[in-house]
Amino acid sequence: MPDIPDTISPLSLACAIFDVNSHTSVTALAATLEPITAQLAQSKAQRERLGENDALWTDLRKLWRDLSRAQMTFWDNDDSEDEADGAAEHQKQQGLSTLAASLARYTRNLVADVPRNQIKAFENEPSIRRLVHYYTSWTFLQNKEALLVARVLSQALANLVSGNANLGAKLWNTYMHLPEDQVVLIRLLSSPDPPTILAALIIILSCIDGSRTRIKILTRTVVGVRLCVCLLDNMVKLYDADESAAEAKAFDVGYEIFSRIMAADLVPSLFSRLAMTDEIITPHQTTLLKLVDSYLQSTQLSPVPTTPQGTPLYTKLRPMLAKTFFSLSAYAQKSIQNSLGLPTASSDTAGAAFEPLSSLDVMLPKVGEALVLVTQCIVTTALESSDQCMQLKGLEQSSQDFFNDARSADQGILESLVELLRLLDMFLPRINFGKPVPSVVPPQGGGGGGDDSASTGFNYLKRDLVRLLGILCYGKKAVQDRIRLCGGIQVVMNLCVVDERNPFLREHAIFALHNLLQGNPENQAVVDALQPSGKWDDNGILRDTSGAVRK
């Protein structure tokens, strides 16, 4: 085994003569650190050997303290300005920035995968945090050199706690009790530099790993929710990144953080705290629903995931999903009724006379997008294996039965589904091979509610809703009867059509109709009583036959 180079002596000599106010001394120390840093990155044995020297930690503590004091941070209330020559001041600032980056890289490599070194170096965290705050201030937003310094400082913080649960807990408790404007993780997550965001995400993941208590702090405290908002913003921004890029790695770490939140059964808590007054759904809630949907899809083929208490995870998500569905569905129904000038009583919508559109709700597409996500989540939970679930302690009701029994005010989820589908079929024209096909006679003097520019949020909505209806009624005669009594059979039959906005809508509607009729003579009689009063034209529209009467 080759001898380990002596890196202690040169560093000790440089530290002994170091003067933070001397530009020459600052640049000399930075130059001394660089080759040592490179050696530490290649040899864990050298990191361990270097960490055994107690004098090293004394020198390191002094360097971080002097450097942080030399830089200005706003919470120090240090508003003094140097009146010296501008060029000299700029030179001094450049030297300090270079040293900050060099010292951060040195510390980052020194503590990597060496718990003893992490513990020894952790005493410098306050100084590192102050420098992170300084280099992420608004005055440095467009400064590439400052972005680099902030990056390596954040990487040093990440290496301090990675794989060390005790230090992670200590750091987390400190950060979560700081004033919001001093929590550097929020600033790092807002950085335009992807590697900096990645380092911040690694810090968060290291801190919450294996602790439901710390995850709860993330989802329930003011600072924690603010961090979650930044996380969700980044998940949207990083989603389309190339797989080999730092952005993709950051997305994966961010997804892992939210997976821990989901596995700890804390999504409902976070979802409610992302709400805003007078907003039916917020962008951050929608992003969270996307992550929940992805998580449920990824666990669909595996044994039903459980919470730390051993109960099925689905049983904890179901109340949130049901409540959200009811609120979104009620909003969408009211909005469509207002837009089409329909009476609010659902029993009158079928024969209502249409008026020109009285209003257009700009929130309706966003509500439609969220409805698709909630519906997909409900579908996934309703398709869970009953055999698997019954083997898990604490499960008293299958997801299918839970949602069939769910109610809001005097309306069940089935009735809400049917009414929403009825209104959507009136409001949105079908698109058949690129041509809009109105579901009803257009309002006099006005266009339909299905303009492509305003209907992006409605893609897949009717398809997923009718799919959910078919799943909920499968093998449940009482549910089949409820759907018949609220006119759901006719609604489903009207959806057995081609619609490019809803791929496979016809197939899902036929499947739902099959489940509605299976083993139910009353429902079968309803279909038998329906007689065609026209014929289909080349565009897939049923044209009335002269003299025929609809029943």
Side-chain angles (χ1 to χ4, degrees), residues 71 102 119 122 129 161 166 169 184 235 250 262 296 348 493 507 524 541:
Q71 300 283 25
S102 297
I119 296 171
F122 191 78
R129 187 198 329 150
V161 297
N166 291 333
V184 293
M235 296 302 285
M262 296 171 205
L296 293 176
D348 296 333
M493 292 181 69
E507 288 75 10
Q524 295 170 13
I541 302 176

Side-chain angles (χ1 to χ4, degrees), residues 383 466-467 469-474 492 496 505-517:
L383 287 173
V466 77
R467 180 189 182 199
L469 193 68
I471 291 171
L472 293 179
C473 72
Y474 175 72
V492 173
C496 296
L505 170 64
R506 178 173 59 185
E507 288 75 10
H508 283 293
I510 292 173
F511 175 77
L513 186 62
H514 170 272
N515 289 350
L516 281 170
L517 302 182

Side-chain angles (χ1 to χ4, degrees), residues 132-144:
V132 170
H133 193 285
Y134 178 73
Y135 283 103
T136 54
S137 61
W138 65 271
T139 56
F140 288 113
L141 287 178
Q142 303 301 323
N143 188 317
K144 293 183 179 180

Side-chain angles (χ1 to χ4, degrees), residues 328-472:
L328 293 173
S329 177
Y331 182 96
Q333 291 178 42
K334 184 177 180 180
S335 177
I336 294 173
Q337 288 167 349
N338 290 339
S339 295
L340 296 180
L342 296 174
T344 57
S346 60
S347 59
D348 296 333
T349 58
F354 293 98
E355 301 294 338
L357 291 178
S358 58
S359 64
L360 287 176
D361 187 351
V362 295
M363 279 299 297
L364 188 55
K366 298 297 182 183
V367 170
E369 180 185 9
L371 267 170
V372 169
L373 295 168
V374 173
T375 302
Q376 289 176 347
C377 291
I378 295 176
V379 165
T380 303
T381 60
L383 287 173
E384 67 192 10
S385 169
S386 298
D387 292 338
Q388 287 178 325
C389 291
M390 293 308 295
Q391 294 173 2
L392 295 173
K393 180 181 178 181
L395 183 63
E396 299 178 354
Q397 190 179 36
S398 70
S399 292
Q400 184 187 21
D401 290 337
F402 175 87
F403 288 111
N404 282 331
D405 293 343
R407 302 190 68 83
S408 177
D410 295 329
Q411 189 180 48
I413 202 168
L414 297 168
E415 290 75 16
S416 180
L417 260 173
V418 169
E419 182 60 20
L420 180 57
L421 280 168
R422 189 197 326 273
L423 290 169
L424 285 171
D425 202 35
M426 295 177 182
F427 184 66
L428 295 174
R430 298 190 299 273
I431 297 180
N432 187 7
F433 304 111
K435 300 178 181 179
V437 182
S439 297
V440 295
V441 178
Q444 297 177 359
D451 179 70
D452 285 344
S453 62
S455 63
T456 304
F458 301 111
N459 291 337
Y460 315 110
L461 181 53
K462 288 191 284 189
R463 181 200 69 181
D464 288 343
L465 290 173
V466 77
R467 180 189 182 199
L468 175 59
L469 193 68
I471 291 171
L472 293 179

Side-chain angles (χ1 to χ4, degrees), residues 76-94:
D76 286 328
N77 295 319
D78 183 5
D79 297 326
S80 62
E81 296 184 2
D82 192 349
E83 300 295 337
D85 180 74
E89 181 64 23
H90 178 69
Q91 184 185 54
K92 177 182 177 182
Q93 178 60 46
Q94 278 193 321

